[in-house]
Amino acid sequence: MRLRALLETEALGLRLLGGEDELDRTVRGVMTTDLRDPSRYLSGGELVLTGLAWRRSAADSEPFVRILTASGVAGLAAGEAELGDIPDDLVAACRAGRLPLFAVDEDVAFATITEHVVRQVSGERAGDLAAVVDRHRRLMTSGPAGGGPEVVLDLLTTDLDLRAWVLSPTGRQIAGAGEPLAPPVCAALAGEHLAAVRTGRRGPHRVSVQGVTYSLFPVRGNGRGPDGRPARDVRESVLSDWLLAVEADAGDWPAERLDLLQGVTQLIAVERDRRDAARTVRRRLAQEVLELVQTGAAPAETAARLRVAAPVLLPGLGAAPHWQVVVARVEWEDGPVPGGPVAQSLLEEILVDPSLPGPEPSDRIAVAHLGDEAVALVPLPAPSGEGEEPGAALHADELLAAVRGPLAAGLADDGRLTLGVSAAVHSAEGLRGALEEARHARRVAAARPGRVCAAGHHELASHVLLLPFVPDDVRRAFTARLLDPLREYDRRHRAELIPTLEAFLDCDGSWTRCAARLHLHVNTLRYRVGRIEQLTGRDLSRLEDKLDFFLALRMS
């Protein structure tokens, strides 16, 4: 379709502000964004919709328009809901760049324009799939009368013989046509997608997993982060965006088919936005309970709030007999990227059983974020027997086992996720202790190396509980005093004193077992240990010195 046709459609509420000579440009898609630089998500020919949240001053308009023209977009439509009249500096920048500019009446939703463009483009270029956009409304309803993303995926299979799946950033299958993908394949695809997004590569991304080629299409939301504010950095949304995995090589596809798949991702994004909106009630309930717990409210008041929350989180069960608390924190090394909303969205996904398909299992998860920290209240069924843990109790290692790979790819080399899990408690009185226990466990996880780390309440009776609370300068001084002489000696002589020390302590000081593990003669081992003692002035036959070395290795 052409821009002129959009202007002539009164229901869209578009008013032309510039670019009269460019109205015969072809529109191949539509994208909503408030990013200052959306170029990575543009492939050319789009009508770009923006609420102008990227504009902080008049100087921002010219760079933004220059990026759009360089990406080959067809036109720009700016909403009047936030700022009223479109700023003159944006009008001037579009005229200078020969970019058609439209004003969108504040009473017209961007979704209305998106639906119209997708319907027209899909109808013109893929008549066999006109039913896809006709079912757009069904994507925004749940239950048997809706159908969600499966409606679109079924049509891709029947009309274009394309098998496709919608995956979460952790690799959980949300929707699919036909046989579900194996969990390891889903995890691999999610990891490849997140790695590609973090490196700035434009989709679709072509990957091969277990000998099968897939094309991965990002499913973008409304250009906002998990907290609903405009996303100004890819790290604000990379760990919450879905992806569409198609079993095909899109490298040799014609432009028409690529356009169609981009339209499909826009329709699926509607389902994602609907799901995010549905989480608002659960988030509010979690926030209210946590505020009561943190402020030391009376247990009876907290219990009353839990009785209100339980039917929402456990429909049909009534009150939850037990609760667990999970605390997560996402931290980025560079830039002021807020971690709380990212951790909240991510924790909502991590706590969903990966064996449950569909977007709705998260209905039983309530997560709030307090600053840069996300806190989840997880209701648990009663234990099946005396002395047993509640059913489906969460364990830290199991929680991240299936999602560690994809998340590490999304965090890349500048992000980190740490997570702590409390024991189960059976009353409101125990929630405050559970919250502190989960926070302590998360600090234990933070003391470990790695991009994705978790710790549970079982580990809090160990020495590792103390390590996160040792100041960094004390840790560095302690480990340097004991280990730096050994590291320097290893660097100059390649003597492997550090690995020898680690093995000796792991073998509880047993000469024969340690020598066998290192494939050394016992006399060689004794020589190395003697060198360690000489360089450090310590005696490895003394328990105190063994403990010092053990802690230094753990903190290094």
Side-chain angles (χ1 to χ4, degrees):
M1 67 178 303
R2 301 188 183 278
L3 286 174
R4 191 180 304 279
L6 291 174
L7 190 61
E8 294 170 352
T9 305
E10 295 183 0
L12 299 183
L14 297 177
R15 189 172 74 259
L16 185 65
L17 299 181
E20 296 85 351
D21 298 334
E22 305 292 333
L23 291 180
D24 286 327
R25 290 187 182 186
T26 300
V27 179
R28 297 172 53 189
V30 62
M31 177 195 177
T32 301
T33 184
D34 276 312
L35 293 173
R36 296 169 69 87
D37 180 3
S39 58
R40 71 177 69 218
Y41 308 129
L42 298 169
S43 56
E46 295 93 350
L47 173 67
V48 174
L49 307 175
T50 181
L52 299 178
W54 50 266
R55 182 184 177 278
R56 299 173 184 172
S57 69
D60 293 334
S61 292
E62 191 277 331
F64 182 75
V65 171
R66 180 164 19 92
I67 289 169
L68 296 189
T69 55
S71 300
V73 305
L76 174 65
E80 296 181 322
E82 292 291 332
L83 302 179
D85 292 339
I86 306 304
D88 292 339
D89 49 271
L90 180 59
V91 176
C94 288
R95 284 178 177 166
R98 299 181 63 82
L99 180 66
L101 174 64
F102 302 90
V104 182
D105 189 273
E106 62 180 351
D107 294 328
V108 178
F110 282 177
T112 301
I113 300 174
T114 298
E115 181 180 354
H116 178 82
V117 172
V118 171
R119 180 184 295 115
Q120 295 301 318
V121 171
S122 298
E124 291 173 2
R125 300 195 174 177
D128 291 341
L129 286 179
V132 172
V133 289
D134 288 339
R135 300 194 191 187
H136 181 212
R137 295 298 180 189
R138 297 182 63 185
L139 291 173
M140 293 187 289
T141 61
S142 59
E150 285 85 355
V151 173
V152 180
L153 302 186
D154 286 342
L155 288 171
L156 287 178
T157 300
T158 57
D159 291 6
L160 288 184
D161 196 25
L162 291 176
R163 298 179 66 208
W165 302 265
V166 178
L167 306 178
S168 77
T170 63
R172 184 174 66 89
Q173 182 173 316
I174 293 168
E179 290 295 320
L181 289 173
V185 175
C186 291
L189 292 175
E192 293 280 358
H193 166 73
L194 291 174
V197 171
R198 286 306 313 275
T199 55
R201 284 188 283 143
R202 184 175 295 174
H205 312 120
R206 289 177 290 158
V207 300
S208 180
V209 176
Q210 297 184 3
V212 180
T213 299
Y214 299 88
S215 295
L216 309 180
F217 294 80
V219 176
R220 305 294 179 193
N222 53 14
R224 298 180 179 271
D227 58 351
R229 296 183 303 174
R232 302 185 183 277
D233 191 303
V234 68
R235 291 174 294 182
E236 294 184 52
S237 59
V238 65
L239 296 178
S240 59
D241 281 346
W242 291 355
L243 69 137
L244 175 66
V246 181
E247 188 181 304
D249 186 345
D252 56 357
W253 280 5
E256 289 79 3
R257 178 167 288 197
L258 287 172
D259 288 345
L260 173 64
L261 265 293
Q262 294 292 353
V264 168
T265 64
Q266 291 170 358
L267 296 184
I268 294 172
V270 175
E271 171 65 19
R272 200 201 78 166
D273 293 341
R274 184 200 64 79
R275 181 212 58 174
D276 290 344
R279 287 180 169 177
T280 303
V281 172
R282 297 191 299 279
R283 288 176 172 180
R284 187 181 301 120
L285 287 172
Q287 198 79 34
E288 291 173 356
V289 172
L290 287 171
E291 287 175 358
L292 290 174
V293 171
Q294 289 211 131
T295 56
E301 185 178 359
T302 304
R305 179 56 58 186
L306 282 175
R307 284 193 294 272
V308 173
V312 177
L313 302 176
L314 288 176
L317 186 62
H322 292 82
W323 298 86
Q324 263 182 298
V325 176
V326 182
V327 172
R329 190 181 184 98
V330 173
E331 299 171 286
W332 304 101
E333 294 176 4
D334 303 315
V337 180
V342 177
Q344 180 182 41
S345 177
L346 192 55
L347 197 52
E348 286 170 335
E349 179 59 39
I350 291 174
L351 293 176
V352 176
D353 185 342
S355 65
L356 298 176
E360 303 311 326
S362 59
D363 282 350
R364 296 187 177 189
I365 307 299
V367 186
H369 78 82
L370 309 170
D372 286 336
E373 185 179 73
V375 181
L377 291 174
V378 183
L380 301 174
S384 54
E386 187 69 27
E388 296 183 8
E389 283 192 333
L394 301 173
H395 297 275
D397 290 339
E398 297 174 3
L399 202 58
L400 291 185
V403 301
R404 182 176 277 110
L407 294 182
L411 293 163
D413 57 359
D414 63 345
R416 193 152 192 258
L417 167 67
T418 51
L419 188 146
V421 182
S422 78
V425 295
H426 65 276
S427 66
E429 290 89 339
L431 274 181
R432 178 152 192 164
L435 176 60
E436 291 306 313
E437 190 174 59
R439 283 174 167 162
H440 283 312
R442 192 206 64 78
R443 294 190 187 102
V444 170
R448 297 172 176 166
R451 290 292 167 190
V452 182
C453 297
H457 61 94
H458 297 295
E459 302 176 63
L460 299 187
S462 166
H463 65 278
V464 295
L465 173 61
L466 303 177
L467 299 185
F469 306 102
V470 178
D472 288 343
D473 55 344
V474 175
R475 292 158 65 102
R476 285 192 294 268
F478 181 76
T479 57
R481 189 176 301 116
L482 280 176
L483 301 182
D484 278 3
L486 306 182
R487 292 178 178 134
E488 177 62 20
Y489 191 87
D490 281 349
R491 186 184 65 79
R492 288 188 286 110
H493 300 283
R494 299 182 180 178
E496 298 188 355
L497 295 185
I498 293 288
T500 300
L501 176 62
E502 291 175 332
F504 187 72
L505 295 176
D506 284 345
C507 293
D508 298 323
S510 169
W511 297 99
T512 54
R513 283 195 289 125
C514 183
R517 175 183 292 188
L518 296 176
H519 305 290
L520 297 174
H521 192 277
V522 172
N523 289 340
T524 303
L525 176 61
R526 290 185 183 277
Y527 172 80
R528 290 189 182 179
V529 171
R531 179 64 68 184
I532 291 171
E533 293 174 335
Q534 180 185 18
L535 291 169
T536 61
R538 299 300 185 104
D539 183 354
L540 278 169
S541 66
R542 298 179 65 248
L543 176 61
E544 293 88 346
D545 288 342
K546 286 180 181 177
L547 180 58
D548 284 348
F549 278 122
F550 176 78
L551 292 174
L553 290 169
R554 282 298 182 94
M555 290 191 293
S556 64

